[in-house]
Amino acid sequence: MSREGVLSAREARRIALGAQGFAAPRPSGPVGPARLLRAIDALGVVQIDSVNVVTRTHYMPLFSRLGAYPREALETLAWGKRPALFEYWGHEASLLPLGTQPLLRWRMQDAREGVGAWKGIAQFMREHPGVIADALAQVAARGPLSAGELELGAKGRGGWWGWSDAKRAVECLFWAGALTTQTRRRTFERVYGLPDKVLPKAISAVPTPPRDEAQRALIRIAAAAQGVATARDLGDYFRMGPQETRARIGELVEAGELQAVTVDGWGQPAFLHPDARRPRRIIANALLSPFDNLIWFRERTERLFGVRVRLEIYTPAHKRTHGYYVLPFLQGEAITARVDLKADRQAGVLLVQSSHAEPDATTATPELLAAELRLMAGWLGLADVRAQPSGDLAPALSLALSAA
């Protein structure tokens, strides 16, 4: 630090990038399950989203950090016969290391009791006890089932996105911890199973920690994964409430497990993980899913990179600035471009529907971005990359792609 207890904005950005796995070079050889699991352990949580216009988002953070790994290896870790991950509400719907499961049981209890954001879950369970009991009994008797395989009353009738009673019942049981994900089908349909049949006995047997102890552990994970962070950053990582977040941070600072620091230009107190790496430079080049851990909290993204990133999927097409499914491009320590991508699987092409330069773009940006797009196309099993003439970076990017 240049001054005692003070970090420059650049130092903070490098620490954050190092904590997120962007300080180390990508592996030069094949990437196996053990390496994937280490990366997920370092991140603490990987968000799940069903949008498949490029590839589903949970595959992307590992590609961004490790390069072209076999996606089926992640599927085995998450939904194989001996899973190393489980699904629950971590940041949003998420994949998490199995060891985190006991740390989220307080949230499952909140869902059962209807605390805070979980009121609708508890209300449905309270108002439909027969449906809940029947759904749980069928999974217990018949084995893992999807919502569509349950024999429970009417199909979609409105409410909760038009879900059927069966779907609402198993989702309530999932959030309450009475069911968990046994696997996902190729359509991404969730198959529900009993936790004591799906989770390893070593996890199920772990005593449930007190709420404050579990929350401190989650804040530790968030702090290690972010390196340096504000209270809002730390709370957002596992979607904890501000009051509980502040209390847990205070306890960790008092215990010497977090260091209170000032970051130039942040305007908010920050907290440094004691083991945070301090890279001297970052040389990564990576396309980032809009749901990537590095940028999912838009306030932090703007603070770190000076770039305003917004998800435009739900914005009417004529009002979009950058496109439908836009991936920022991380070039070293800066976000230098954005590309609106679509995997045209029938044609075997990765389409760059628009490309835009950011203020930190350099003359090297088109060539580096083109290389990353080619790598992504190969990883997705696509034979080519095509840039459409939309966006201020499109001419230079098309030229870089054609030079290969």
Side-chain angles (χ1 to χ4, degrees):
M1 287 186 232
S2 53
R3 304 187 300 279
E4 185 64 28
V6 178
L7 292 169
S8 70
R10 173 168 287 185
E11 286 173 315
R13 184 168 58 248
R14 288 175 178 171
I15 289 170
L17 286 164
Q20 282 284 301
F22 289 107
R26 285 171 171 166
S28 57
V31 177
R35 183 66 185 85
L36 295 179
L37 194 56
R38 287 200 303 274
I40 295 169
D41 282 339
L43 292 173
V45 54
V46 173
Q47 186 173 335
I48 296 171
D49 191 84
S50 62
V51 175
N52 199 27
V53 66
V54 179
T55 188
R56 292 191 172 96
T57 192
H58 44 278
Y59 297 104
M60 276 293 302
L62 297 173
F63 169 77
S64 300
R65 291 154 179 80
L66 304 177
Y69 72 95
R71 284 180 291 169
E72 60 271 17
L74 176 60
E75 294 165 2
T76 299
L77 289 173
W79 304 296
K81 292 183 178 179
R82 295 183 179 180
L85 307 172
F86 77 106
E87 284 189 38
Y88 194 61
W89 188 273
H91 179 73
E92 296 278 337
S94 304
L95 288 171
L96 305 108
L98 279 172
T100 312
Q101 196 272 348
L103 305 180
L104 289 166
R105 291 177 189 165
W106 62 271
R107 181 164 287 165
M108 299 173 189
Q109 182 177 347
D110 281 359
R112 293 192 294 272
E113 296 176 357
V115 175
W118 304 99
K119 290 180 181 178
I121 302 293
Q123 181 179 351
F124 183 86
M125 295 178 75
R126 185 172 59 251
E127 293 176 353
H128 301 81
V131 174
I132 293 294
D134 198 4
L136 194 58
Q138 285 192 45
V139 175
R142 297 168 57 194
L145 297 169
S146 68
E149 292 168 332
L150 287 166
E151 299 169 359
L152 286 175
K155 300 299 181 185
R157 315 184 294 194
W160 284 24
W161 307 286
W163 284 354
S164 65
D165 282 351
K167 177 63 174 175
R168 283 184 279 180
V170 289
E171 283 295 293
C172 286
L173 289 165
F174 174 83
W175 299 123
L179 292 177
T180 192
T181 303
Q182 194 271 338
T183 192
R184 290 270 188 173
R185 297 199 171 127
R186 286 295 172 188
T187 58
F188 207 56
E189 181 183 35
R190 180 185 277 154
V191 178
Y192 302 83
L194 298 176
D196 61 357
K197 301 290 186 183
V198 176
L199 300 176
K201 291 181 180 178
I203 297 300
S204 299
V206 173
T208 298
R211 184 187 188 96
D212 59 346
E213 181 182 317
Q215 290 178 344
R216 281 192 295 274
L218 293 173
I219 293 292
R220 288 189 196 101
I221 295 169
Q226 295 179 96
V228 61
T230 67
R232 283 174 58 84
D233 297 339
L234 292 170
D236 178 77
Y237 210 77
F238 285 103
R239 293 296 170 90
M240 284 172 50
Q243 185 173 347
E244 289 182 313
T245 297
R246 288 193 297 268
R248 303 295 85 83
I249 290 172
E251 293 157 2
L252 291 170
V253 169
E254 186 176 355
E257 297 185 64
L258 286 179
Q259 179 187 354
V261 296
T262 298
V263 178
D264 288 337
W266 279 23
Q268 304 172 47
F271 303 91
L272 178 69
H273 190 277
D275 298 328
R277 296 180 58 190
R278 303 191 183 206
R280 299 185 65 179
R281 63 192 297 248
I282 303 290
I283 58 173
N285 293 300
L287 286 160
L288 302 172
S289 159
F291 304 104
D292 190 284
N293 305 49
L294 181 65
I295 59 170
W296 63 24
F297 188 32
R298 310 311 184 193
E299 175 187 305
R300 177 175 171 85
T301 304
E302 192 164 352
R303 199 184 324 120
L304 283 172
F305 299 104
V307 171
R308 190 173 186 267
V309 174
R310 293 294 183 269
L311 187 66
E312 296 184 282
I313 288 175
Y314 305 110
T315 302
H318 68 282
K319 293 185 178 181
R320 292 176 191 144
T321 302
H322 295 100
Y324 177 77
Y325 199 77
V326 177
L327 280 69
F329 178 56
L330 177 69
Q331 179 184 334
E333 300 174 19
I335 290 175
T336 62
R338 309 183 207 207
V339 285
D340 179 22
L341 298 184
K342 178 180 179 179
D344 185 339
R345 296 173 180 88
Q346 186 172 357
V349 172
L350 181 62
L351 291 175
V352 185
Q353 301 186 115
S354 69
S355 51
H356 299 265
E358 293 296 325
D360 286 329
T362 69
T363 55
T365 297
E367 183 178 346
L368 294 172
L369 176 56
E372 198 65 17
L373 288 165
R374 292 189 205 100
L375 181 66
M376 174 179 278
W379 176 60
L380 296 175
L382 304 172
D384 196 10
V385 182
R386 294 180 192 164
Q388 297 179 344
S390 177
D392 58 6
L393 192 60
L397 180 58
S398 295
L399 187 63
L401 287 168
S402 65

